[in-house]
Amino acid sequence: MRRIFLADKADFAGMNQAWDAWVVAGSAPVRCTVQAALMKPEYKVEIKIVAAID
């Protein structure tokens, strides 16, 4: 699962464009995007990835 935190919700459309360019059509992993105050004000996006390996 990917958790994407945006400092400004106005960047949501741009994030979707970047996401669609990155993932394989029809194979996008689960994702959740929210607006949040990030720890470093100069950051606009923070992404947390959780993966399980067998």
Side-chain angles (χ1 to χ4, degrees):
M1 167 180 255
R2 275 74 171 162
R3 292 182 183 110
I4 301 171
F5 305 91
L6 299 177
D8 186 343
K9 67 182 179 181
D11 292 329
F12 187 66
M15 177 63 220
N16 283 336
Q17 288 177 335
W19 181 263
D20 290 342
W22 176 70
V23 298
V24 176
S27 299
V30 175
R31 128 186 161 191
C32 173
T33 305
V34 299
Q35 180 180 2
L38 303 182
M39 296 303 289
K40 292 194 172 193
E42 65 269 22
Y43 292 171
K44 295 185 83 169
V45 177
E46 184 174 316
I47 300 173
K48 177 180 181 181
I49 299 173
V50 178
I53 300 173
D54 286 331

